[in-house]
Amino acid sequence: MRERTGRRRRGGAAAAAIEAGPPKSPQQAQRRVRNPYRPIEILADDALDRIHDASITILEEIGVDFLSGEAREIAKTNGADVREGSERVRFDRALVMELIAKAPERVRLHARNPDHDLELGGDALAFCMVASTPNCSDLEGGRRRGNFKDYQDFLRLSQQLNICHLNGGYPVEPIDLPPSTRHLDALHALATLTDKPFHAYSLGRERIRDGIEIARIARGVDAQTLAREPSLFTIINTNSPLKLDIPMALGIIEMARAGQIVVITPFTLSGAMAPVTLAGALAQQNAEALAGIAFAQMVRPGAPCLYGGFTSNVDMKSGAPAFGTPEYTRAAQISGQLARRYRLPFRSSNVNASNAPDAQAAYESEMAVWGAVMGGCNMMMHALGWIEGGLCASFEKVIMDAEILQMIAEYLQPIEVSEATLGLDAIRDVGPGGHFFGTAHTLARYESAFYAPMLSDWRNFETWAEAGSVDATRRAHALYKQHLAEYEAPPMAAERREALDAFVAKRREEGGAPAD
Amino acid sequence: MRERTGRRRRGGAAAAAIEAGPPKSPQQAQRRVRNPYRPIEILADDALDRIHDASITILEEIGVDFLSGEAREIAKTNGADVREGSERVRFDRALVMELIAKAPERVRLHARNPDHDLELGGDALAFCMVASTPNCSDLEGGRRRGNFKDYQDFLRLSQQLNICHLNGGYPVEPIDLPPSTRHLDALHALATLTDKPFHAYSLGRERIRDGIEIARIARGVDAQTLAREPSLFTIINTNSPLKLDIPMALGIIEMARAGQIVVITPFTLSGAMAPVTLAGALAQQNAEALAGIAFAQMVRPGAPCLYGGFTSNVDMKSGAPAFGTPEYTRAAQISGQLARRYRLPFRSSNVNASNAPDAQAAYESEMAVWGAVMGGCNMMMHALGWIEGGLCASFEKVIMDAEILQMIAEYLQPIEVSEATLGLDAIRDVGPGGHFFGTAHTLARYESAFYAPMLSDWRNFETWAEAGSVDATRRAHALYKQHLAEYEAPPMAAERREALDAFVAKRREEGGAPAD
């Protein structure tokens, strides 16, 4: 792969090698990604209004079951219709809109390394490592249950790859760690192996409080600063249709109180947990998302929330969920329209249903990625490594996605149109029938003129065949290993590290979060 | 692959099988594709103006070399600046704009089967089989030089796949046919193995005239009707930078005179035949495209022309062309902006530089396809089967692209938002915590609710692994073979077929088009 290295090493490569030691794996430099284009609008305003109206009718007339008594109490106190002896919570139109309006339009997610702070909202776009898969795989070891070794390797890749901006949970579930203390080890690893923002699961009050405390210690700030500077996020999946379970409700309560970010993402699979029609599934998604966000605003007005869209469909023959389909893409883009209607940052995903990191994984992912980007996504979950509809994290897919996302980031860069770049003098000098290889205009620019790939192989067929006809998936395997070999843990001030270790040790002694 | 068959066969499958014989390979029904979305605008109006102005300056001050004396004579007669003893042709600003304005904004391309007539322009989008590759490959036979057997198989696939709307040349060059009569056999096959629109190469006056005559005979119309109803198109690649060779000039002359469609596509590789800057490469592309289209209007005012964009870049280390890159995608979308500025239909392409039909082929192609679609493409060349930067046509890639394009076509379908599709009654009936599998709302719609894939495998990992862990590329292999086995030649009226055979026999006796 050496001859495919990034643009940094073009020209003067020998000198650079002496200074910098062995060549690093190719990749683009770290950058913040901004999307300058107007999002695609799948629905006209009146159709979007009809979805909004239907979701408001759902909240007014049908309501949502809140399984937590504490949550129902908060809802009742804040004007929702909650009746004795029922879990049902109904919201009237004016209440919902008043609450939603309190959520900020954009929010800054802080990392322990400020270089990795992220804007969420507006034209900003952030890419998140795969999360929450029970299995992982690579070509060498095959498919296996999640474990702490692989978990840490995914975190190392999330740190190593510049195009990965944050972690969105556990890339793979470290099933070999005991459940009561797993979150302590997993969060400790997130806070030490990476210095990018991260996520804690809403799995009960103790775990989410531990997550908030670990994020605070890792940043070295007090609770007041943490509340002003969100440094942790949690994904709230409503239990579609129209239910919010106790751990999720407690997650909203604890995170909103602490000023941390809540991403409400109903998992509305059209044909299973939501109507078989996209319009119906989206009306239900929107009702659930609005209920969750309105509830967070009841807990703490101004609590930072993201609007998450995850509507896809099931294969009606097998019941298996499908991802990266035309339905998924349109649902994601309509979700973006809805999020912008409510002036909320929009969370989407990079998804596919392929059983291997192959061409299907690539083309289904591209449907999701282009759909998300053109739909105004601000935070792309599962952006690197997801396969099998979320049942597996693939090391090779991490690299494949890194290339896809790097290309998107470069595509979103503006193009300079000036006298210098129009190059009329060069065109005049070369004239009809000539070529531009040796011109001064070319020589002054060739080193950084074009995107340099990390995974794509542009050698001619003969050279590629002589080198063993290695396809993209097998090249991705070599590259992920190379990136792991080059990984270096980000520095952490000794006192923060000690405080973190001590907190985890103390909580472990206390038994972590015993199953209740 | 049987269990992945298309939606048509869902429910009532047994009855359908009795009526219809053995199950056909899964695919979506034939449809015309329309793109309802506003194209992405990479450049602001003022930057687009600067590219336009630079290209006009090129045409005014530098000019284009026309190698054909006949073409220079036409240019001179029609007001261009042509001087004795020079091949250089210069156009002033007013002349260019006056001529370009004569080209129609949209055009209908007629097929011998009117069901396959195509609109080119506006919001219409047509997908074209791979063209002009010297090699072809499949997993079984490997990579091989182009030959007539494979050529015919690609044509059969172009006929068989509903998402393929036309042929854009020879899918692979049938090198085993003698050069002087190759075009006769190749065009005869295009006119008989398919009933979709096709293309003839501009390789000298005799060949292009043969193409026009074969298109006329296949349609069973006279020359006057053919001139009113364009039934053939040709791609004109200018010889960048700024040259138009004799065969290409004669192609424009013959096709424009006969009222047939000319697609002007400069092959401006940034860093090689065009400036290393995208702005400069696009200014040069635009100058060459405007020169070709203006020249066609000199030959016959109102001659149907397409604006073709093919600017990409070379890898500056190896000189190899790169495709499906961020530069390529932005150049394509700016080309679309330019085409719309001149009110011309826009031709783009589905390209990649992968040496195999693997994940790289898929993700580079998706960059090109999404870029083209979001950039307002009307005719997508090489939409099915292109790999290796155009040096190879891949049978497996044809199927992979068919799936990608089917998904795009479905994505572009409108979504109904009505009382019925919002499904509030179903949501009310199911209530919190239920599911939608057996509801009347679901049962009434599930058969046609969602996109049914042709290549994607949505079975769970265990089932897929038990069935041999067949990846997308190998599944594509089986599918292309199955489609070939199911191919049936489209019917052709006996008198047309006889006239066609007789014409080809006569031209063969005359020696075809001997190399000159």
Side-chain angles (χ1 to χ4, degrees):
Chain A
M1 295 303 299
R2 288 282 158 84
E3 64 181 283
R4 310 239 64 74
T5 51
R7 62 177 57 155
R8 233 184 336 184
R9 296 188 51 254
R10 289 220 202 103
I18 290 165
E19 275 177 60
K24 289 282 197 297
S25 298
Q27 67 172 319
Q28 298 285 303
Q30 189 193 326
R31 63 158 62 130
R32 290 201 165 79
V33 182
R34 302 210 164 268
N35 179 353
Y37 305 119
R38 201 179 79 146
I40 294 291
E41 291 181 352
I42 299 282
L43 293 185
D45 287 346
D46 59 334
L48 200 69
D49 284 346
R50 283 198 290 280
I51 289 186
H52 165 77
D53 285 340
S55 60
I56 294 290
T57 302
I58 292 170
L59 292 176
E60 284 187 330
E61 297 179 11
I62 305 172
V64 176
D65 278 357
F66 280 23
L67 305 198
S68 153
E70 180 181 346
R72 287 198 300 278
E73 195 54 44
I74 293 171
K76 189 171 182 179
T77 309
N78 285 275
D81 173 6
V82 185
R83 295 166 205 178
E84 204 60 45
S86 163
E87 294 175 327
R88 196 65 56 91
V89 178
R90 295 180 181 82
F91 305 75
D92 81 29
R93 185 172 302 254
L95 179 65
V96 173
M97 296 316 292
E98 183 195 317
L99 288 165
I100 296 298
K102 295 184 200 288
E105 191 167 357
R106 51 181 78 198
V107 53
R108 190 176 186 88
L109 173 56
H110 292 259
R112 73 170 170 95
N113 176 353
D115 288 347
H116 295 308
D117 285 2
L118 291 173
E119 294 293 329
L120 301 175
D123 62 0
L125 175 55
F127 301 124
C128 193
M129 183 54 87
V130 57
S132 310
T133 62
N135 305 291
C136 61
S137 71
D138 77 339
L139 290 185
E140 194 182 334
R143 188 177 187 260
R144 50 203 181 254
R145 300 300 301 273
N147 61 83
F148 196 51
K149 185 198 165 294
D150 284 318
Y151 172 87
Q152 294 173 88
D153 280 345
F154 279 107
L155 294 193
R156 291 182 182 109
L157 288 176
S158 78
Q159 177 67 17
Q160 178 72 8
L161 293 167
N162 292 325
I163 198 67
C164 179
H165 297 115
L166 74 170
N167 270 287
Y170 308 161
V172 68
E173 185 76 21
I175 295 167
D176 50 344
L177 298 181
S180 57
T181 54
R182 184 183 299 162
H183 70 291
L184 296 170
D185 295 314
L187 288 163
H188 184 272
L190 277 162
T192 53
L193 296 180
T194 88
D195 60 2
K196 298 178 179 180
F198 60 94
H199 162 281
Y201 288 101
S202 288
L203 289 170
R205 203 186 296 274
E206 286 170 306
R207 286 192 182 83
I208 197 73
R209 283 187 177 171
D210 286 340
I212 295 168
E213 186 60 7
I214 287 172
R216 188 193 65 73
I217 297 170
R219 282 206 55 219
V221 296
D222 60 21
Q224 290 69 36
T225 306
L226 194 80
R228 279 195 314 272
E229 298 181 353
S231 308
L232 185 71
F233 76 107
T234 194
I235 303 284
I236 299 295
N237 295 128
T238 48
N239 313 86
S240 303
L242 301 173
K243 261 172 106 163
L244 185 67
D245 67 20
I246 295 174
M248 290 291 165
L250 294 182
I252 296 177
I253 293 170
E254 293 297 324
M255 288 287 279
R257 279 194 186 141
Q260 305 307 296
I261 298 171
V262 171
V263 180
I264 308 281
T265 310
F267 187 25
T268 31
L269 270 181
S270 183
M273 298 94 89
V276 75
T277 45
L278 275 192
L282 286 163
Q284 185 187 309
Q285 168 194 293
N286 199 50
E288 296 180 13
L290 292 181
I293 295 165
F295 177 64
Q297 302 308 312
M298 289 173 166
V299 174
R300 177 182 172 131
C305 292
L306 266 67
Y307 184 108
F310 208 74
T311 293
S312 193
N313 61 287
V314 292
D315 178 1
M316 292 309 294
K317 281 196 308 285
S318 65
F323 288 105
T325 60
E327 289 77 19
Y328 172 86
T329 300
R330 287 179 294 175
Q333 294 187 331
I334 295 169
S335 301
Q337 289 186 264
L338 289 163
R340 288 188 296 280
R341 189 184 207 282
Y342 306 122
R343 300 186 185 281
L344 292 168
F346 170 45
R347 169 251 154 121
S348 190
S349 305
N350 171 4
V351 293
N352 68 89
S354 185
N355 287 303
D358 63 352
Q360 178 186 336
Y363 67 65
E364 288 186 337
S365 269
E366 287 274 10
M367 279 294 284
V369 167
W370 270 92
V373 172
M374 295 293 103
C377 171
N378 299 118
M379 178 161 79
M380 190 185 293
M381 288 286 293
H382 312 301
L384 301 100
W386 218 67
I387 60 170
E388 271 189 50
L391 294 179
C392 191
S394 156
F395 282 103
E396 289 84 12
K397 182 73 171 12
V398 168
I399 299 296
M400 204 179 286
D401 285 327
E403 180 85 299
I404 288 171
L405 300 173
Q406 283 194 165
M407 287 165 77
I408 290 282
E410 182 71 22
Y411 161 75
L412 295 172
Q413 288 290 300
I415 285 176
E416 185 194 332
V417 182
S418 62
E419 199 176 323
T421 62
L422 284 165
L424 279 184
D425 289 342
I427 295 172
R428 208 184 305 269
D429 289 349
V430 167
H435 68 79
F436 290 77
F437 276 116
T439 66
H441 191 259
T442 301
L443 290 176
R445 292 169 177 83
Y446 80 99
E447 285 195 51
S448 62
F450 305 125
Y451 174 76
M454 73 191 298
L455 173 62
S456 298
D457 190 330
W458 293 344
R459 291 177 296 181
N460 66 32
F461 179 82
E462 290 74 13
T463 313
W464 174 80
E466 270 168 37
S469 302
V470 183
D471 70 13
T473 304
R474 287 190 289 149
R475 294 197 304 274
H477 181 83
L479 269 172
Y480 106 73
K481 293 268 186 184
Q482 195 180 332
H483 274 291
L484 280 184
E486 290 170 8
Y487 168 82
E488 286 175 32
M492 188 175 209
E495 68 277 14
R496 286 197 214 175
R497 176 62 188 244
E498 283 157 22
L500 197 60
D501 293 351
F503 175 76
V504 167
K506 176 181 75 98
R507 290 285 299 119
R508 189 192 306 278
E509 265 172 49
E510 293 167 4
D516 44 321
Chain B
M1 294 304 297
R2 287 281 160 82
E3 63 180 285
R4 311 240 61 74
T5 52
R7 65 177 57 153
R8 232 181 339 182
R9 296 186 49 253
R10 288 220 202 103
I18 290 164
E19 274 179 58
K24 290 281 199 296
S25 298
Q27 66 172 320
Q28 298 286 303
Q30 189 192 327
R31 64 158 62 129
R32 290 200 165 78
V33 183
R34 302 209 166 269
N35 180 354
Y37 305 119
R38 201 179 81 146
I40 294 290
E41 292 181 352
I42 299 281
L43 292 185
D45 287 347
D46 60 333
L48 200 70
D49 284 346
R50 284 198 290 280
I51 288 185
H52 166 77
D53 285 339
S55 61
I56 293 290
T57 302
I58 292 169
L59 292 176
E60 284 188 330
E61 295 179 12
I62 305 172
V64 176
D65 279 358
F66 279 24
L67 306 197
S68 152
E70 181 180 346
R72 288 197 300 276
E73 194 55 42
I74 292 170
K76 188 171 184 177
T77 308
N78 284 275
D81 173 8
V82 184
R83 295 165 203 180
E84 203 62 45
S86 163
E87 293 174 327
R88 195 64 57 90
V89 177
R90 293 181 181 81
F91 305 75
D92 80 30
R93 184 172 302 253
L95 178 65
V96 173
M97 295 317 292
E98 182 194 317
L99 288 165
I100 296 297
K102 294 183 200 288
E105 192 167 356
R106 51 181 79 198
V107 53
R108 191 176 184 86
L109 173 58
H110 293 257
R112 75 170 169 93
N113 175 352
D115 288 346
H116 295 309
D117 286 1
L118 291 173
E119 294 293 330
L120 302 176
D123 62 359
L125 175 56
F127 300 124
C128 191
M129 184 53 90
V130 57
S132 311
T133 63
N135 304 292
C136 62
S137 70
D138 78 340
L139 290 185
E140 194 182 334
R143 188 175 185 261
R144 48 203 184 254
R145 301 300 302 273
N147 60 83
F148 196 52
K149 183 194 168 297
D150 284 317
Y151 171 87
Q152 293 173 90
D153 280 346
F154 279 107
L155 295 193
R156 291 181 181 109
L157 288 177
S158 77
Q159 177 67 18
Q160 178 73 8
L161 292 168
N162 292 326
I163 198 66
C164 179
H165 298 115
L166 74 169
N167 270 288
Y170 308 161
V172 67
E173 186 76 22
I175 293 166
D176 50 344
L177 298 180
S180 57
T181 55
R182 183 183 300 163
H183 70 290
L184 295 170
D185 294 314
L187 288 162
H188 184 272
L190 277 162
T192 54
L193 295 181
T194 90
D195 60 2
K196 298 178 179 181
F198 59 94
H199 161 282
Y201 287 102
S202 288
L203 290 168
R205 201 184 298 275
E206 286 169 304
R207 287 190 181 85
I208 197 74
R209 283 187 176 170
D210 285 340
I212 294 168
E213 186 61 8
I214 286 172
R216 187 192 67 72
I217 297 169
R219 284 209 53 221
V221 298
D222 60 21
Q224 290 69 36
T225 306
L226 193 80
R228 280 194 314 273
E229 297 180 355
S231 308
L232 187 71
F233 76 106
T234 195
I235 302 284
I236 300 294
N237 294 127
T238 48
N239 312 85
S240 303
L242 301 174
K243 262 172 103 162
L244 185 68
D245 68 20
I246 294 173
M248 290 291 165
L250 293 181
I252 296 177
I253 292 170
E254 292 298 324
M255 289 287 279
R257 276 192 188 143
Q260 305 307 296
I261 297 170
V262 170
V263 181
I264 309 278
T265 310
F267 187 25
T268 32
L269 270 182
S270 183
M273 298 95 90
V276 75
T277 46
L278 274 192
L282 286 163
Q284 186 187 309
Q285 168 193 294
N286 199 50
E288 296 179 14
L290 293 180
I293 295 165
F295 178 64
Q297 302 308 312
M298 288 172 167
V299 173
R300 177 181 171 132
C305 292
L306 266 66
Y307 184 108
F310 208 74
T311 294
S312 193
N313 61 284
V314 291
D315 177 1
M316 293 309 294
K317 281 197 307 285
S318 65
F323 288 106
T325 61
E327 288 78 19
Y328 172 86
T329 300
R330 287 179 293 175
Q333 295 188 330
I334 295 169
S335 301
Q337 288 186 265
L338 288 163
R340 289 189 295 281
R341 188 184 209 283
Y342 307 121
R343 299 183 185 281
L344 293 167
F346 170 45
R347 168 252 154 120
S348 190
S349 306
N350 171 3
V351 293
N352 67 88
S354 186
N355 288 303
D358 63 354
Q360 178 186 336
Y363 66 64
E364 288 186 338
S365 269
E366 286 275 8
M367 278 293 286
V369 167
W370 270 93
V373 172
M374 294 294 102
C377 171
N378 299 117
M379 178 161 79
M380 191 185 295
M381 290 285 294
H382 313 301
L384 300 101
W386 219 68
I387 58 169
E388 268 189 53
L391 295 178
C392 190
S394 156
F395 282 103
E396 289 85 10
K397 182 74 170 13
V398 168
I399 300 297
M400 203 178 288
D401 285 327
E403 179 84 300
I404 288 172
L405 300 173
Q406 283 194 165
M407 288 165 78
I408 290 281
E410 183 70 22
Y411 161 75
L412 295 173
Q413 288 291 300
I415 286 177
E416 186 194 331
V417 181
S418 63
E419 199 175 326
T421 62
L422 284 166
L424 278 185
D425 289 343
I427 295 171
R428 208 183 306 268
D429 289 349
V430 168
H435 69 78
F436 291 77
F437 277 117
T439 66
H441 191 260
T442 301
L443 289 174
R445 292 170 177 83
Y446 79 99
E447 285 196 50
S448 62
F450 304 126
Y451 174 77
M454 73 190 300
L455 173 62
S456 297
D457 189 330
W458 292 344
R459 292 177 295 181
N460 65 32
F461 179 84
E462 291 73 15
T463 313
W464 174 81
E466 269 167 37
S469 301
V470 183
D471 70 14
T473 304
R474 286 190 290 149
R475 295 198 303 275
H477 181 83
L479 269 173
Y480 106 74
K481 293 269 186 182
Q482 195 180 332
H483 274 291
L484 279 184
E486 289 170 8
Y487 168 83
E488 286 175 32
M492 189 174 207
E495 68 277 14
R496 285 196 213 174
R497 176 62 188 244
E498 284 157 21
L500 197 61
D501 293 352
F503 174 77
V504 166
K506 176 181 75 95
R507 290 287 297 120
R508 188 192 306 279
E509 265 173 46
E510 292 167 2
D516 44 319

